[in-house]
Amino acid sequence: MKRTLLAGMVSALALASAAAADIKIAHIYGKTGPFEAYAKQSHDGLMLGLEYATGGTMEINGEPIVMIEKDTQLKPENGKALLEEAYGDDEVDLAIGPVSSGVALAMLPVAEEYEKILIVEPAVADSITGSNWNRYIFRTSRNSSQDAVSSAIALAGDNVKIATLAQDYAFGRDGIAAFREALATQGIEIVHEEYAPTDTTDFTAAGERIFNAMKDLDGPKKLFVIWAGGGNPLGKIHAMDPGRFGIEFAGVGNILAALKGFKDYEGMEGGTYYYYELPDNDVNDWLVKTHFERFDSPPDFFTAGGMAAGIAAVEAIRKAGSTDTEALITAMEGMEWETPKGTMRFRAEDHQALQTMYHFKLTVQDGVEWAVPELVRELSIDEMPIPIRNQ
């Protein structure tokens, strides 16, 4: 009888141990709110990344992955509270997210307080892996400097004059600061900077200030726009006819829904993070094929990023052999892994993922409902001097 009870207790303990061995990952992102489209892409990509990296088993080293979703509603205070909840109450092994840079900045200190990994995807502001960084932060998404350097290389030329328009928060401010710095390496200065609140709908005054700053200048004139979410100013500024002053648009890439509104800007150039036809590698081939099968559409900007984060999480845990934070940090610093964009590498100094970017030129093609970013050239990790900003 005692042996039977003992055997039962051992069996129960074994079951409890097995249950405790689940790998818990929290995805904390703006599932509802202005960036809802970005959020859906990011989550779809994350789940596809976990599926791809685990060969469809959704297990790492024999331990099942449990995904916990939390919606920040794009509010910084929510992001902070939900990450505390994930680390404290849910006891997740690591977290991924968020969509907004403002939300991300509120979440960074929580990772340090709980001494747990936060993989930032897809928030972009340089300060995330710069002045606000801590050692528990790893970022798979590109940063503002990667957007800036790739665009500066794309737009460089003799006597080029550039003005900028961006949103007045961390994403826009960091983006333009990085762009200004990158242009300086090409011998180009920004002649005018314009910032507008994220909910701006009337760009008349901003457009007039930009035109007044540029209309009498000689040489090629470009208006470089960084804008996320709705209310994109390109259409409003375009209606004011910048062409009468010889001003052309330039910018970074965008999601397919936004590219539908870019058909009036054929020939626009810049640097982009992803367009599904640009990379040539096995991971992207799988993503494109699978996404068409599952969703009857091509993968988008943030789908690729979500997938990169999912693969990174799996590879890190596999390499570390556990979910222990210190083991993960050791495994992830300098780690290289394959993504839809090719090889990414976590830079040891600031945990920013170094990655390929793409110099594009927009074309309009029959039968395609959006402007197509055609590849001018691929910009490799080694071609882009991305500053380290956390020291």
Side-chain angles (χ1 to χ4, degrees):
M1 183 68 174
K2 288 182 180 178
R3 287 181 182 177
T4 304
L5 285 171
L6 184 58
M9 290 171 63
V10 170
S11 178
L13 287 169
L15 287 170
S17 176
D22 289 349
I23 295 170
K24 292 184 180 180
I25 298 175
H27 192 200
I28 302 173
Y29 64 120
K31 194 173 182 179
T32 56
F35 293 171
E36 185 176 335
Y38 300 177
K40 184 181 186 312
Q41 292 174 27
S42 185
H43 188 71
D44 288 346
L46 173 58
M47 299 310 292
L48 287 169
L50 296 174
E51 178 183 341
Y52 180 87
T54 62
T57 67
M58 298 301 278
E59 294 182 351
I60 307 173
N61 299 332
E63 297 177 353
I65 298 169
V66 174
M67 178 61 65
I68 298 171
E69 292 184 61
K70 295 181 184 291
D71 181 10
T72 70
Q73 300 176 325
L74 226 64
K75 297 175 181 178
E77 64 273 19
N78 288 359
K80 179 178 184 293
L82 291 172
L83 188 57
E84 289 173 341
E85 181 180 272
Y87 289 146
D89 298 340
D90 301 321
E91 297 183 340
V92 301
D93 296 297
L94 59 87
I96 297 171
V99 177
S100 159
S101 293
V103 177
L105 291 171
M107 292 168 63
L108 304 186
V110 179
E112 185 170 36
E113 178 186 350
Y114 282 85
E115 299 183 348
K116 290 281 190 178
I117 299 296
L118 172 62
I119 297 177
V120 174
E121 173 68 44
V124 174
D126 267 351
S127 48
I128 293 166
T129 44
S131 57
N132 292 86
W133 174 86
N134 63 68
R135 66 191 294 268
Y136 303 98
I137 306 306
F138 288 80
R139 175 159 51 186
T140 50
S141 64
R142 92 283 188 196
N143 64 10
S144 293
S145 288
Q146 286 163 317
D147 276 346
V149 170
S150 61
S151 291
I153 292 171
L155 300 177
D158 293 336
N159 204 28
V160 173
K161 305 296 192 302
I162 295 178
T164 62
L165 172 60
Q167 285 160 310
D168 193 8
Y169 81 112
F171 167 66
R173 290 275 178 180
D174 280 12
I176 296 304
F179 186 53
R180 187 191 316 115
E181 182 180 70
L183 285 174
T185 68
Q186 306 293 323
I188 300 171
E189 291 185 8
I190 294 176
V191 299
H192 182 79
E193 295 179 20
E194 194 72 38
Y195 298 92
T198 57
D199 58 354
T200 300
T201 56
D202 185 353
F203 293 92
T204 305
E208 288 177 351
R209 286 191 292 268
I210 292 165
F211 295 170
N212 288 334
M214 301 194 83
K215 63 184 181 182
D216 297 325
L217 300 176
D218 296 324
K221 291 178 270 192
K222 310 279 188 182
L223 172 56
F224 182 77
V225 179
I226 297 178
W227 204 268
N232 195 304
L234 283 177
K236 305 288 179 64
I237 302 290
H238 181 66
M240 296 173 66
D241 192 17
R244 64 197 155 110
F245 302 117
I247 300 170
E248 299 178 339
F249 286 115
V252 296
N254 216 315
I255 64 173
L256 298 178
L259 290 177
K260 289 179 181 179
F262 282 26
K263 293 183 107 176
D264 288 334
Y265 318 121
E266 186 170 16
M268 185 175 95
E269 294 186 57
T272 192
Y273 169 77
Y274 180 81
Y275 178 69
Y276 73 99
E277 293 181 331
L278 300 182
D280 181 15
N281 61 70
D282 291 342
V283 182
N284 192 58
D285 289 347
W286 183 92
L287 172 59
V288 172
K289 178 177 181 293
T290 304
H291 203 276
F292 269 108
E293 290 171 352
R294 304 270 175 89
F295 304 104
D296 196 29
S297 65
D300 214 335
F301 220 67
F302 298 108
T303 323
M307 185 172 186
I311 297 172
V314 173
E315 292 300 324
I317 294 169
R318 190 176 281 151
K319 183 180 177 185
S322 77
T323 55
D324 173 75
T325 297
E326 291 302 321
L328 286 173
I329 291 173
T330 299
M332 294 171 79
E333 288 185 340
M335 184 180 85
E336 292 189 352
W337 75 104
E338 297 307 311
T339 79
K341 297 180 61 185
T343 304
M344 286 190 185
R345 180 192 312 139
F346 279 129
R347 185 163 57 185
E349 291 87 347
D350 61 357
H351 303 173
Q352 173 61 47
L354 302 179
Q355 56 200 274
T356 297
M357 298 288 283
Y358 308 94
H359 174 182
F360 73 90
K361 185 173 185 177
L362 290 183
T363 64
V364 176
Q365 299 179 7
D366 291 340
V368 181
E369 57 184 308
W370 51 77
V372 176
E374 281 202 340
L375 183 65
V376 176
R377 72 184 179 109
E378 191 173 284
L379 302 172
S380 70
I381 289 173
D382 296 331
E383 290 180 83
M384 293 187 298
I386 306 303
I388 298 171
R389 302 187 186 277
N390 66 336
Q391 298 175 355

